[in-house]
Amino acid sequence: MDGWSALADPTRRTILELVAVHPRHVQELADRLPVSRPAVSQHLKLLKEAGLVVDQAVGTRRLYRANPAGLAALRAQLDRFWGQTLINLKQQAEAEDQ
């Protein structure tokens, strides 16, 4: 799953927002969401596969945090889209002026 597909789900977007603030374990996330602990684990698995979160063993739990490299890749794609959009708008405006 790619990052955009992973973020298509609002629960996964919320999870990413929460772990971007500070690292959290599954139960901490489940306590803040209207889904079960197993559902949170499944969402985290998909976010991890997409490269948007990383985890670390801390005792008997796993601590999840946002993956800066995965977020940077999404940002780079957005920057390319935005850059191309600005070029297109400029070309359209110049064509209308002629």
Side-chain angles (χ1 to χ4, degrees):
M1 176 174 289
D2 71 351
W4 298 111
S5 296
L7 292 176
D9 182 88
T11 300
R12 286 193 288 275
R13 285 193 305 271
T14 301
I15 290 170
L16 183 60
E17 289 174 8
L18 290 169
V19 299
V21 172
H22 67 80
R24 299 174 193 262
H25 54 80
V26 175
Q27 188 60 55
E28 205 177 346
L29 291 165
D31 290 344
R32 299 191 63 157
L33 296 166
V35 295
S36 67
R37 187 179 187 285
V40 169
S41 293
Q42 288 301 310
H43 285 298
L44 284 165
K45 179 182 176 187
L46 292 173
L47 288 167
K48 186 176 176 182
E49 287 174 5
L52 298 177
V53 300
V54 293
D55 62 334
Q56 172 186 6
V58 178
T60 60
R61 297 181 175 184
R62 302 213 66 77
L63 197 61
Y64 291 85
R65 63 180 170 81
N67 180 1
L71 295 175
L74 290 180
R75 174 66 189 263
Q77 288 178 334
L78 279 178
D79 288 345
R80 284 192 303 276
F81 298 150
W82 182 245
Q84 187 60 54
T85 299
L86 291 176
I87 290 168
N88 294 344
L89 286 172
K90 181 181 178 208
Q91 290 172 347
Q92 183 178 0
E94 289 171 349
E96 289 175 4
D97 285 342
Q98 295 177 358

